[in-house]
Amino acid sequence: MRCVHKFTELEADVGVRTEIPENEIRRQRDIMARIAEMNAAGRERLALVDTFGCQQNEADSERIRGMLREMGYGFTEREAEADVIVLNTCAVREHAEKRVLGNVGALTHTKRAKPDQIIVLCGCMVQQPVMAEKIRRSYRIVDLVFGPQALWRFPELLERVLTERTRVFAVEEEDGSIAEGLPAVRQKGVKAWLSAMYGCNNYCSYCIVPYVRGRERSRRPEVIVEEARALVASGYRDITLLGQNVNSYGKDLSEDVDFPRLLRMVNGIPGEFVLRFMTSHPKDAGEELFRAMAECEKVENHLHLPFQSGSDAILKKMNRRYTKADYLALVELARRYIPDLVVTSDIIVGFPGETEADFLETMDVIERVRFDALFTFIYSKRPGTPAAEMDDPDSREVKQARFDRLIARQNAISGEIHAGYVGKRVRALVDGVSDRESGLLTARTSGGRLIHLKGGEQRIGEFAPVEITGCNTWALYGEICE
Ligand code: SAH
Ligand code: SF4
Ligand code: F3S
């Protein structure tokens, strides 16, 4: 299909920068105004945005909601009354894709009852050519399909669906760009996502992300600092800088800025707030980062540092570019700078060719590091990635058994670490409601550990001293010290 935006021509104007020129953003804003005018003529129009996948997708959905609001849409949770339904999809594992397709299937009935309902599929899953084709052929109820790189053109794409009443697909392969100045509707509360960079260049052999999210590109530091300042001013207290490989920030910028420097810049914003970041890749983490974390009082004592596997042979096949010894040394160095650092990680069990001996190396890393929490996944074959071509002799049962052993051991470790909090006093940010009926709130420690505690909702947004009174594997229980 025709590529609607003329990025290659514009590139000549903006040099090597990948930022969308202001006049293009203005054009999208004009379209939003036109659609808002159209919508204002009749009854109130409603939209529903459902997000699958990671925080990057959450952040993208906030932009989609922002654009929908500017186009005059209100929001609903009920599919039956929505005029526009947006499913922002994920492709990281097969399970995520199955969930999305199941949801699309279920919308057949909704759309039959409301034939002018517009169904939009966007995000990572649809950026895969095979998947886009499958939707074109087999999911005819879907009206608009666009990948993450085309997000900023949502108004123009939606306008085409509304005015031409045709199906629109915008899934051309693109390295990606940066679109500043788009509106956002953020989740209410105290926690906000702030994208520092987009895309990934790492090509870990199992991972689909670099194929669907384009090349690494960093937002200008001054734009990030300004956005953080605005977030603090409007009451957000917990800001997470996002990137698939956030600590490679700045490599593509001509300015002299890297991730540790960015942390220091955001840390310098006045106001009471805390700063987190994810996800860091071990190959880009080092002394400078840890020194910045230790010296910046607003940067929390939490490092999410995925190691994926403890076996050097598997790490090599994964294209992770570090060894088990490198990883262990890195965590040790981090803890030297930040003694009470909470370390969490991601692990893949059952990568093609993983042997029992390889798996035991992973278990060994868990014993040595003693992570506070882990996100553990069974390997899922992603067509088009190098790992999908590798010999994978082990059965699902063998992988599941390893996975269960790992979870059991980690649960015991998390339980022990949590028990160590009991009786201690910590500073925590009260960030939401845990259970309204029993009057329980949620709070987070500096390391991101979840606390359930009693209190009135007016306390949400407060940093409070909390005495930890109990725990289980997943959470702590506490009381606010008055
Ligand atoms: N950029 C981040 C997160 C990527 S996706 C990082 O590099 O850590 C989040 C996690 O999903 C990964 O860390 C990995 O553990 C897991 N993952 C990615 N691809 C996968 C696959 N094909 N099968 C199973 N787990 C996968
Ligand atoms: Fe995927 Fe690796 Fe990039 Fe993370 S760093 S998004 S695992 S390719
Ligand atoms: Fe999924 Fe895309 Fe995030 S594949 S994990 S939504 S970057």
Side-chain angles (χ1 to χ4, degrees), residues 200 202-204 206-207 209-210 244 281 308 320:
C200 181
N202 291 331
Y203 291 97
C204 301
Y206 50 83
C207 185
V209 172
Q244 285 299 343
H281 192 298
Q308 313 295 359
R320 287 291 288 183

Short mmCIF file of all heavy atoms in Angstrom, two decimals, residues 200 202-204 206-207 209-210 244 281 308 320, ligand 2:
data_model
loop_
_atom_site.label_atom_id
_atom_site.label_comp_id
_atom_site.label_asym_id
_atom_site.label_seq_id
_atom_site.Cartn_x
_atom_site.Cartn_y
_atom_site.Cartn_z
N CYS A 200 15.06 -0.97 19.75
CA CYS A 200 16.13 -1.79 20.31
C CYS A 200 17.05 -2.26 19.19
O CYS A 200 16.58 -2.64 18.12
CB CYS A 200 15.55 -3.02 21.02
SG CYS A 200 16.83 -4.05 21.75
N ASN A 202 19.56 -4.59 19.84
CA ASN A 202 20.37 -5.69 20.38
C ASN A 202 20.21 -7.04 19.68
O ASN A 202 21.11 -7.86 19.72
CB ASN A 202 20.10 -5.85 21.88
CG ASN A 202 20.67 -4.68 22.64
OD1 ASN A 202 21.65 -4.08 22.21
ND2 ASN A 202 20.05 -4.34 23.74
N TYR A 203 19.06 -7.26 19.12
CA TYR A 203 18.83 -8.52 18.42
C TYR A 203 19.22 -9.73 19.25
O TYR A 203 19.99 -10.58 18.79
CB TYR A 203 19.52 -8.54 17.06
CG TYR A 203 18.89 -7.60 16.07
CD1 TYR A 203 19.41 -6.33 15.86
CD2 TYR A 203 17.73 -7.97 15.39
CE1 TYR A 203 18.80 -5.44 14.97
CE2 TYR A 203 17.12 -7.09 14.50
CZ TYR A 203 17.65 -5.84 14.30
OH TYR A 203 17.04 -4.98 13.42
N CYS A 204 18.76 -9.81 20.48
CA CYS A 204 18.87 -11.07 21.22
C CYS A 204 18.17 -12.11 20.35
O CYS A 204 17.11 -11.82 19.79
CB CYS A 204 18.20 -10.95 22.59
SG CYS A 204 18.91 -9.62 23.59
N TYR A 206 16.34 -14.62 20.49
CA TYR A 206 14.98 -15.13 20.73
C TYR A 206 13.91 -14.06 20.57
O TYR A 206 12.72 -14.34 20.59
CB TYR A 206 14.89 -15.69 22.17
CG TYR A 206 15.41 -14.69 23.19
CD1 TYR A 206 14.61 -13.66 23.66
CD2 TYR A 206 16.73 -14.76 23.63
CE1 TYR A 206 15.11 -12.72 24.55
CE2 TYR A 206 17.24 -13.82 24.52
CZ TYR A 206 16.41 -12.81 24.96
OH TYR A 206 16.91 -11.87 25.83
N CYS A 207 14.31 -12.81 20.42
CA CYS A 207 13.40 -11.70 20.71
C CYS A 207 12.87 -11.01 19.45
O CYS A 207 13.60 -10.70 18.52
CB CYS A 207 14.10 -10.68 21.60
SG CYS A 207 13.03 -9.34 22.12
N VAL A 209 11.29 -8.04 19.55
CA VAL A 209 11.16 -6.58 19.75
C VAL A 209 11.91 -5.74 18.71
O VAL A 209 11.33 -4.81 18.14
CB VAL A 209 11.54 -6.19 21.20
CG1 VAL A 209 11.61 -4.68 21.37
CG2 VAL A 209 10.54 -6.77 22.19
N PRO A 210 13.20 -6.02 18.40
CA PRO A 210 13.90 -5.16 17.44
C PRO A 210 13.23 -5.14 16.06
O PRO A 210 13.33 -4.15 15.33
CB PRO A 210 15.29 -5.78 17.34
CG PRO A 210 15.45 -6.54 18.62
CD PRO A 210 14.09 -7.05 18.96
N GLN A 244 13.57 0.01 25.93
CA GLN A 244 13.85 -1.44 25.90
C GLN A 244 15.24 -1.70 26.42
O GLN A 244 15.53 -2.75 26.96
CB GLN A 244 13.72 -1.97 24.47
CG GLN A 244 12.30 -2.11 23.99
CD GLN A 244 11.50 -3.06 24.83
OE1 GLN A 244 12.03 -3.85 25.59
NE2 GLN A 244 10.19 -2.97 24.71
N HIS A 281 20.24 -3.14 30.16
CA HIS A 281 20.95 -4.31 29.62
C HIS A 281 22.32 -4.37 30.29
O HIS A 281 22.99 -3.34 30.38
CB HIS A 281 21.09 -4.16 28.10
CG HIS A 281 21.53 -5.42 27.42
ND1 HIS A 281 22.75 -6.01 27.67
CD2 HIS A 281 20.92 -6.19 26.50
CE1 HIS A 281 22.86 -7.11 26.93
NE2 HIS A 281 21.77 -7.24 26.20
N GLN A 308 18.67 -13.52 31.86
CA GLN A 308 18.11 -14.47 30.90
C GLN A 308 18.59 -15.90 31.09
O GLN A 308 17.78 -16.82 31.09
CB GLN A 308 18.34 -14.05 29.43
CG GLN A 308 18.03 -12.60 29.09
CD GLN A 308 16.57 -12.21 29.23
OE1 GLN A 308 15.74 -13.04 29.57
NE2 GLN A 308 16.24 -10.94 29.00
N ARG A 320 23.67 -12.31 23.91
CA ARG A 320 23.51 -11.35 25.01
C ARG A 320 24.78 -10.54 25.29
O ARG A 320 24.77 -9.56 26.01
CB ARG A 320 23.05 -12.07 26.29
CG ARG A 320 21.63 -12.53 26.26
CD ARG A 320 20.64 -11.38 26.28
NE ARG A 320 20.56 -10.70 27.55
CZ ARG A 320 19.73 -9.70 27.81
NH1 ARG A 320 18.90 -9.26 26.89
NH2 ARG A 320 19.73 -9.11 28.99
FE1 SF4 B 2 14.64 -8.02 23.15
FE2 SF4 B 2 17.18 -8.19 23.80
FE3 SF4 B 2 16.20 -5.88 22.87
FE4 SF4 B 2 15.51 -6.75 25.28
S1 SF4 B 2 17.57 -6.17 24.64
S2 SF4 B 2 14.15 -5.95 23.73
S3 SF4 B 2 15.45 -8.97 25.04
S4 SF4 B 2 16.39 -7.80 21.73
#
